[in-house]
Amino acid sequence: MAQRILVVDDEQKVLDVIQPFLEREGFQVRTAVDGKRALVLAKEWDPDLIVLDWMLPEISGLDVCRELRKDSKVAIILLTARSDEADRVVGLEIGADDYLVKPFGLRELTARVRAVLRRVQDTQEEPQVLRRGDVSIDVERFKVWRNDQEIQLTPTEFKILLTLAERPGVIYSRLQLSRAAMGTDYLQYERTVDTHISHLRRKMEDDPADPRIIQTVYGVGYRFGEG
Amino acid sequence: MNTVTVRTKLLASMALLVLLMAGAFFTLSRGYLVHQFRQYATTAESEEASQWARVIRFYYTSSGNSWNQTAPILQDLLREQSSEEHGDRTVTGLGPSSGTTKGSRVVNNQSAGGSGVTPPDGSTVQSAHSATNNSSGDQDEQVSRLIVVDSNGHKVLDVTSGDNDAPSAYTSVDTDSVHMVSYPLKIGSQFSGTLYIGDTGPGGLLSMESQVMRSMTFAIVWGMLLATGVALTLGYFLSKRLTNPLHRLSKAILQMGRGDWDVPVNISGRDEVGQLAKAFDQMRDQLRAGEHVRKQLVADVAHELRTPLTILEGQLELVQQGLKSASPETFVPMLDEVIRLSGLVEDLHQLSLADAGQLTLNRQQTDLTDIAQRVVENFSLEAESRQVDLAMHVEGSVDLDKPVGEILGDPHRMTQVLVNLVDNALTHTPSGGSVTVTLSSDADTVTVAVSDTGPGIAPEHLPHVFDRFYRADNNRSRTTGGMGLGLAIAKGFAEAHGGTIEVASTVGVGTTFTVVVPRRPATNL
């Protein structure tokens, strides 16, 4: 059964981009533009996780969070436009399970949603393993096999590979990969992605000079080869 | 840290001052005293000399103009005086003849009982020591030798009070070996020459003088030490009083530099240090307020930029992931976000220009009535959809020669002011309410008032409504109001025209913004 996610943001346009993405990821998604409606939906619909914007008219996200925590253990991810340390601490203290600072990528949001759900629901699902042709990726344990042979990867290489492998055929720019693997602090080192890619190819490809798994799209970026 | 503290400097300068003053006092008073002594001695000596000259003249004439007969008499006189001086200093009469005149006349010096030499003509000889007898008990000055030299330089008389060998040592008049006083001696037409009077030696006045100097030096040195001690003690406490607040202040400043704003300075008093502390407190409050505004601004700008960026990124990602087709209509909302971001950047730019007083106004004859009319027309659809009654009133001009709304101003900026005010009023007015724009004027100013029947603004928020990004409702949202820059911009533009903007509000009744703009810019600009 699909997990239910309630997304609350006063900006309809934000909801418009989050909803289709999470739905594509296999979640059931409903939205609310204010705290009042969010509280009603949370009670009636009983979602597994709530993505909650901090700044809401009338009832703020923090108040909604406090209200929910009175009688619910629903997973909550706070969205905030503020990166101040104090804000994060407050958010986590009043019972949010995670927070995400705007602007954020939809991939990152999905990853957080999954992580929080796993952590909170403590459901021992089968270990999540991505299978792409002869490549298998254990998302939990950071392990990669090719033809049942384990390949040793650095954490950065693993994250780049995972990002590409999650959506075979989708082209990712170096910046996107850089942020996915190393966070926003390393965006100026966009080109180091090339180095990591060449290491990955040396470890995984039959012929690194003619890559099949990780393909270069000239002038744009990289993609995971489909089959 | 090896720094010289204010306290040290203060104490050192106080000690230095005491020393300097003592030195100056010592030098000046010493010079003055020596001068006085010398003057007194000279007067006394010349007086004594003239006295002796009279005595010599008397004996010389009475002994038949013979120096040889005069000498023994004078010798006796000197010896007698010498012995009497040692016997009784205070009351001594000196007569021309020791037998007849001794004690016959006693002349007391009024100022200081001293010995007098009384020649036959009745005048009084006051020896130099008469004045000093009271203050000094040791060696007195006495006349020990008398020498008379004639006009040709021959010594005609030389008598001494002491032993008879002494004169033999003087072969000539030697004024260097003893202290000699010269005095012109003229006895009628018979004689003309010089009288030399020798004192007993270097004692007398000189020793008196040195003794006074000694005691004076002693007194000054001790006084100086005492004064220095007192000054240092006093200075210590004074400097402590002075520097303690400074220490506290510098501590507070250091703490403030580390970001701790709540350091009590606790310095009262109306002196300079107290004023400094007060100024410091004011400065800190201003800095704190400024810091708060700055932080708020940074957070707000970040917030205003982050949301459009999130939307843009999300929409683009949807396209990238194939969840949305890259059709032209997909990009329209993205374009909107970019326009919104550009508008925000432009608004912030205009505001910072207004803040810096660098807003350039393109002034021309402008009728605010026209502008208001156009603004109201542009908002009429919006008002209709919100079910808000938007109306405009023009009140008659006092000066009928001029149109009500005519000013010399920048039409573009003034339009912006009205747009922002009407927009603000509309967004805060619930459906069924009304927004009214009223124009009025007098000879010098045009007034535009924008009133709404919204919920009003609580008094505690009223002073901040023109602050950028300020929202009475802390949970900002885009449904009630734009970015919170509109009123700040309206204020900046109105003030650039030399005008004012004010707000009055009653909770539950409504809010009125009033802009007053002068018809022409101040002429002194």
Side-chain angles (χ1 to χ4, degrees):
Chain A
M1 195 186 90
Q3 284 172 311
R4 285 184 295 226
I5 297 177
L6 170 62
V7 184
V8 189
D9 197 302
D10 63 320
E11 184 69 72
Q12 183 63 44
K13 292 174 195 165
V14 173
L15 299 175
D16 288 346
V17 294
I18 291 178
Q19 186 168 14
F21 201 89
L22 286 178
E23 278 171 354
R24 206 263 317 256
E25 295 293 313
F27 297 104
Q28 206 180 327
V29 181
R30 289 183 78 169
T31 59
V33 289
D34 59 56
K36 229 182 274 176
R37 177 135 179 78
L39 284 172
V40 171
L41 267 177
K43 207 161 235 177
E44 288 176 356
W45 193 49
D46 189 26
D48 298 294
L49 184 140
I50 300 176
V51 176
L52 186 60
D53 188 23
W54 187 300
M55 299 284 190
L56 291 174
E58 288 162 63
I59 312 173
S60 83
L62 279 188
D63 292 335
V64 171
C65 189
R66 250 185 234 118
E67 190 63 34
L68 285 170
R69 274 284 169 264
K70 279 181 185 167
D71 53 3
S72 163
K73 282 188 170 176
V74 63
I76 297 172
I77 295 178
L78 265 183
L79 299 182
T80 170
R82 301 186 165 191
S83 51
D84 316 23
E85 201 58 41
D87 280 1
R88 304 181 175 197
V89 172
V90 170
L92 294 179
E93 264 180 4
I94 65 158
D97 296 285
D98 204 351
Y99 61 84
L100 207 51
V101 181
K102 288 180 187 176
F104 53 82
L106 294 176
R107 271 202 66 259
E108 186 172 9
L109 175 66
T110 317
R112 299 283 185 110
V113 166
R114 284 194 199 286
V116 169
L117 280 176
R118 269 200 303 275
R119 200 165 68 224
V120 173
Q121 299 189 332
D122 204 28
T123 47
Q124 290 303 314
E125 303 171 41
E126 71 281 11
Q128 225 198 331
V129 179
L130 270 182
R131 285 176 214 285
R132 300 278 181 260
D134 50 8
V135 177
S136 307
I137 304 170
D138 185 332
V139 180
E140 301 280 297
R141 280 171 291 181
F142 278 45
K143 282 187 176 174
V144 178
W145 297 268
R146 184 162 183 233
N147 297 327
D148 296 327
Q149 201 158 9
E150 191 174 343
I151 301 167
Q152 298 296 330
L153 295 183
T154 66
T156 308
E157 287 162 5
F158 180 84
K159 284 178 197 159
I160 290 173
L161 179 69
L162 181 63
T163 307
L164 292 168
E166 273 178 346
R167 299 277 153 233
V170 171
I171 308 163
Y172 288 93
S173 70
R174 290 182 178 82
L175 258 181
Q176 272 184 302
L177 291 174
S178 180
R179 187 169 74 172
M182 294 171 279
T184 46
D185 292 343
Y186 296 95
L187 289 185
Q188 65 267 43
Y189 305 119
E190 194 184 337
R191 286 283 156 188
T192 59
V193 169
D194 293 350
T195 316
H196 292 299
I197 294 281
S198 82
H199 289 166
L200 267 171
R201 282 173 177 162
R202 222 173 297 150
K203 289 173 181 177
M204 302 185 70
E205 300 280 358
D206 296 325
D207 178 10
D210 179 24
R212 300 280 156 142
I213 302 168
I214 301 166
Q215 298 169 346
T216 303
V217 181
Y218 288 101
V220 184
Y222 299 98
R223 71 174 166 219
F224 198 90
E226 290 169 290
Chain B
M1 267 201 309
N2 198 12
T3 51
V4 183
T5 60
V6 172
R7 191 173 298 181
T8 319
K9 282 184 200 163
L10 207 74
L11 289 180
S13 55
M14 271 182 126
L16 199 75
L17 200 71
V18 169
L19 284 170
L20 215 74
M21 274 177 63
F25 176 69
F26 183 74
T27 315
L28 282 174
S29 59
R30 189 175 189 278
Y32 180 69
L33 218 69
V34 166
H35 176 73
Q36 287 284 332
F37 258 101
R38 292 277 146 80
Q39 210 167 29
Y40 179 71
T42 313
T43 320
E45 275 168 355
S46 71
E47 218 165 276
E48 187 181 40
S50 87
Q51 217 53 50
W52 277 106
R54 234 173 300 167
V55 172
I56 290 169
R57 205 181 297 137
F58 172 76
Y59 287 114
Y60 179 73
T61 357
S62 58
S63 63
N65 297 348
S66 160
W67 286 115
N68 288 336
Q69 285 180 30
T70 315
I73 302 167
L74 288 173
Q75 181 99 44
D76 285 348
L77 213 55
L78 279 183
R79 282 195 184 135
E80 197 179 311
Q81 177 219 31
S82 158
S83 62
E84 274 170 15
E85 283 288 337
H86 285 282
D88 179 2
R89 284 170 196 155
T90 48
V91 190
T92 303
L94 258 189
S97 158
S98 62
T100 51
T101 55
K102 179 182 181 277
S104 61
R105 290 185 80 170
V106 177
V107 177
N108 278 323
N109 185 321
Q110 274 86 2
S111 60
S115 62
V117 176
T118 312
D121 61 358
S123 60
T124 304
V125 173
Q126 270 182 276
S127 347
H129 59 258
S130 61
T132 62
N133 273 343
N134 291 337
S135 55
S136 158
D138 65 348
Q139 239 179 329
D140 283 318
E141 189 186 14
Q142 302 180 1
V143 173
S144 60
R145 198 176 180 195
L146 292 171
I147 299 167
V148 177
V149 179
D150 67 13
S151 52
N152 299 322
H154 296 299
K155 201 195 294 183
V156 292
L157 182 106
D158 187 353
V159 289
T160 58
S161 61
D163 53 279
N164 288 319
D165 301 337
S168 62
Y170 302 100
T171 46
S172 64
V173 178
D174 180 4
T175 49
D176 291 335
S177 56
V178 278
H179 178 225
M180 293 291 248
V181 176
S182 66
Y183 191 79
L185 184 64
K186 207 168 151 72
I187 307 167
S189 56
Q190 294 103 335
F191 183 81
S192 152
T194 313
L195 166 67
Y196 291 97
I197 300 168
D199 293 335
T200 40
L205 264 180
L206 284 176
S207 76
M208 263 286 300
E209 192 183 305
S210 68
Q211 198 172 0
V212 169
M213 283 306 154
R214 233 184 352 257
S215 52
M216 197 181 80
T217 311
F218 180 80
I220 286 177
V221 166
W222 275 108
M224 201 172 71
L225 287 176
L226 200 75
T228 311
V230 169
L232 288 183
T233 317
L234 221 79
Y236 176 75
F237 287 109
L238 200 76
S239 66
K240 211 172 153 169
R241 251 185 84 85
L242 208 73
T243 53
N244 271 359
L246 290 178
H247 280 309
R248 257 180 295 167
L249 205 63
S250 70
K251 219 174 107 186
I253 291 171
L254 281 178
Q255 264 176 283
M256 209 176 86
R258 271 181 257 123
D260 181 1
W261 294 90
D262 295 303
V263 193
V265 179
N266 285 336
I267 301 169
S268 50
R270 290 189 199 171
D271 58 359
E272 287 88 340
V273 179
Q275 283 170 359
L276 181 67
K278 208 181 275 174
F280 171 78
D281 277 339
Q282 280 173 0
M283 182 196 72
R284 182 182 51 188
D285 289 347
Q286 276 171 7
L287 278 178
R288 181 166 22 198
E291 175 74 3
H292 179 72
V293 167
R294 192 190 64 79
K295 274 189 176 165
Q296 193 67 40
L297 182 74
V298 169
D300 286 336
V301 168
H303 179 264
E304 299 301 331
L305 294 172
R306 279 167 201 267
T307 302
L309 283 173
T310 305
I311 295 165
L312 266 178
E313 184 169 350
Q315 286 170 337
L316 287 168
E317 236 175 317
L318 290 178
V319 174
Q320 182 192 30
Q321 308 265 331
L323 286 164
K324 246 183 188 179
S325 64
S327 61
E329 51 265 38
T330 314
F331 291 102
V332 172
M334 297 185 211
L335 213 53
D336 281 355
E337 293 304 326
V338 173
I339 290 167
R340 214 160 86 175
L341 281 172
S342 307
L344 178 64
V345 171
E346 178 58 22
D347 282 357
L348 285 169
H349 176 61
Q350 294 294 340
L351 256 183
S352 64
L353 281 183
D355 276 354
Q358 289 173 345
L359 207 63
T360 43
L361 293 179
N362 181 19
R363 284 188 189 271
Q364 48 189 274
Q365 285 297 331
T366 308
D367 194 340
L368 283 183
T369 317
D370 292 347
I371 289 178
Q373 227 135 31
R374 237 175 295 138
V375 170
V376 166
E377 269 162 36
N378 280 340
F379 273 104
S380 60
L381 273 179
E382 174 85 15
E384 219 168 281
S385 73
R386 286 173 181 268
Q387 290 173 300
V388 172
D389 179 37
L390 178 59
M392 182 174 156
H393 292 295
V394 180
E395 286 170 11
S397 174
V398 175
D399 184 352
L400 291 172
D401 298 342
K402 278 181 213 161
V404 177
E406 192 184 275
I407 63 161
L408 193 63
D410 186 328
H412 177 69
R413 310 276 193 205
M414 286 317 294
T415 305
Q416 190 68 52
V417 171
L418 291 184
V419 164
N420 290 0
L421 289 181
V422 172
D423 183 33
N424 179 69
L426 276 177
T427 52
H428 287 99
T429 306
S431 59
S434 67
V435 172
T436 314
V437 180
T438 312
L439 253 103
S440 61
S441 67
D442 60 23
D444 302 318
T445 58
V446 177
T447 303
V448 185
V450 180
S451 311
D452 64 54
T453 57
I457 303 165
E460 68 262 29
H461 294 307
L462 217 48
H464 300 291
V465 291
F466 295 111
D467 293 356
R468 59 202 59 187
F469 294 120
Y470 190 87
R471 291 215 177 98
D473 173 14
N474 196 35
N475 294 313
R476 69 197 66 238
S477 81
R478 235 153 246 100
T479 51
T480 58
M483 314 220 182
L485 286 176
L487 293 178
I489 289 171
K491 183 172 194 266
F493 286 4
E495 283 174 357
H497 278 86
T500 58
I501 187 164
E502 273 166 19
V503 61
S505 185
T506 311
V507 175
V509 176
T511 308
T512 301
F513 285 90
T514 310
V515 184
V516 181
V517 189
R519 282 187 190 271
R520 14 201 88 250
T523 43
N524 59 347
L525 285 176

